[in-house]
Amino acid sequence: MPGRWKPMKCRGGNNMKKAQLFALLLALGCAALARADDDAKQGEMFLSQHPDFIVATSGETNVHHLCFRCEVIHTNRIFRLEAADAAAFARGRETVVRALARYPIRLVTAHVDRVYVARQLERKKGDSWVQEAGCSGLRSLYLAQSPAYGDRFREAVFHHELCHLLLSANKKRFSRDAWIRCNPEGFVYQKDASRFSDPTPSGLHLADGFVCSYGKSHFEEDVCTYAMWLFVRPDWVLEQASMHPRVQAKLDILLAFYASMDPFFTMEQFRGHGSARETSAPSGA
């Protein structure tokens, strides 16, 4: 009889398996979104209880920094900060809320007293000024909230600058020599960030163990560029590690460093946050 409905046959249970897989993926996605919502509430709650943790700032300032290797406090870093308007401060607050979700609050407050937000940040170099996305002081972070920066990049900068403070305060936990051995034979850090100013990941450097050209400028920048992208694009970093032995070796050292500071940091914790984010390769904006 034309048009008569016939029951659909499931060959080998394929349709059933697809339905089950779809349900599983949907459940995982919902769990990831729920976790992200809970994490955001953690950051909001902390900032509501400690409103002075993040403040708007402007003017010229001398930002002190403790060198990881020689333990000398550098005092000759002069920065110029453009005042944050209401929109820039709102972006900064959103950035901090997202970033705080990735840490035990106790670890952050043990190393950071205040986060300064500016619309734009420039570092004095000779007679000129060079634009920066962020910098770290002895117990403070300075973050530029230019509208030219995307949400993901602004959060990545937070993780990058916090990593500087964590390295300086916990140097005995980090195996610097093991990290250096991951680099190609004969490689020497250039110690001039202006020659390698791009923190955006690039496939050109992965085989040599660097996630971006900026990592070639200095040992600390190498570590911190790994940290910034591990926190905001864990799936991408883990994928690259599976294809590049030098990246895997450095990633293992970095994960061990964070885990030594707090058992909160596990591979599963990083993977879990990655599943809630987009899966494309990271970009700077």
Side-chain angles (χ1 to χ4, degrees):
M1 183 176 179
R4 182 178 178 179
W5 176 82
K6 295 181 180 181
M8 182 175 62
K9 296 181 179 180
C10 296
R11 297 181 179 178
N14 286 340
N15 291 325
M16 179 74 72
K17 290 179 180 178
K18 289 180 180 179
Q20 291 173 339
L21 178 59
F22 177 78
L24 176 60
L25 292 174
L26 181 62
L28 290 174
C30 291
L33 290 174
R35 180 174 57 251
D37 184 58
D38 290 341
D39 290 342
K41 291 178 181 178
Q42 169 183 284
E44 286 286 1
M45 181 178 297
F46 174 77
L47 291 183
S48 66
Q49 296 172 348
H50 304 85
D52 292 337
F53 183 75
I54 174 172
V55 296
T57 188
S58 63
E60 289 189 16
T61 184
N62 194 337
V63 180
H64 305 315
H65 172 67
L66 178 63
C67 178
F68 174 90
R69 186 173 185 181
C70 59
E71 296 188 340
V72 171
I73 296 177
H74 294 176
T75 60
N76 59 343
R77 302 191 312 158
I78 300 175
F79 286 83
R80 182 170 64 187
L81 302 96
E82 179 184 334
D85 55 17
F89 185 78
R91 287 193 296 270
R93 195 179 191 282
E94 291 173 2
T95 296
V96 174
V97 167
R98 287 196 307 272
L100 288 177
R102 306 304 310 280
Y103 302 87
I105 292 295
R106 59 184 176 273
L107 180 67
V108 177
T109 56
H111 295 84
V112 182
D113 292 329
R114 187 156 293 173
V115 177
Y116 295 97
V117 172
R119 188 178 189 279
Q120 186 166 298
L121 178 66
E122 295 176 310
R123 175 174 55 86
K124 190 171 186 179
K125 184 178 181 181
D127 296 328
S128 61
W129 293 89
V130 180
Q131 187 170 338
E132 301 268 352
C135 69
S136 57
L138 294 179
R139 289 186 57 87
S140 57
L141 305 180
Y142 295 79
L143 306 177
Q145 298 299 308
S146 167
Y149 300 147
D151 292 344
R152 182 170 59 189
F153 182 70
R154 286 195 296 268
E155 182 187 340
V157 172
F158 179 101
H159 299 302
H160 180 108
E161 300 303 338
L162 178 55
C163 185
H164 276 296
L165 297 188
L166 297 176
L167 283 172
S168 297
N170 302 275
K171 61 178 301 180
K172 292 183 178 179
R173 297 178 182 271
F174 194 92
S175 180
R176 182 181 187 276
D177 292 340
W179 185 277
I180 298 298
R181 287 196 294 271
C182 296
N183 293 333
E185 184 177 355
F187 174 82
V188 177
Y189 290 106
Q190 300 301 307
K191 299 182 180 180
D192 182 3
S194 62
R195 292 185 57 194
F196 302 97
S197 58
D198 188 0
T200 306
S202 170
L204 297 175
H205 311 283
L206 291 168
D208 289 336
F210 303 95
V211 293
C212 62
S213 65
Y214 191 40
K216 292 185 174 183
S217 65
H218 192 280
F219 155 71
E220 278 194 51
E221 303 303 349
D222 190 8
V223 178
C224 294
T225 51
Y226 264 81
M228 70 188 291
W229 293 116
L230 175 62
F231 274 96
V232 301
R233 289 300 304 117
D235 290 346
W236 181 85
V237 175
L238 293 170
E239 179 184 5
Q240 302 311 312
S242 69
M243 297 185 290
H244 303 284
R246 296 183 192 276
V247 174
Q248 181 66 66
K250 286 185 174 180
L251 179 59
D252 289 343
I253 295 171
L254 184 65
L255 288 171
F257 171 62
Y258 276 93
S260 73
M261 291 185 289
D262 198 291
F264 169 86
F265 297 106
T266 64
M267 180 69 78
E268 290 71 25
Q269 193 269 344
F270 281 107
R271 285 186 186 277
H273 278 274
S275 65
R277 295 171 181 260
E278 44 189 293
T279 57
S280 59
S283 62

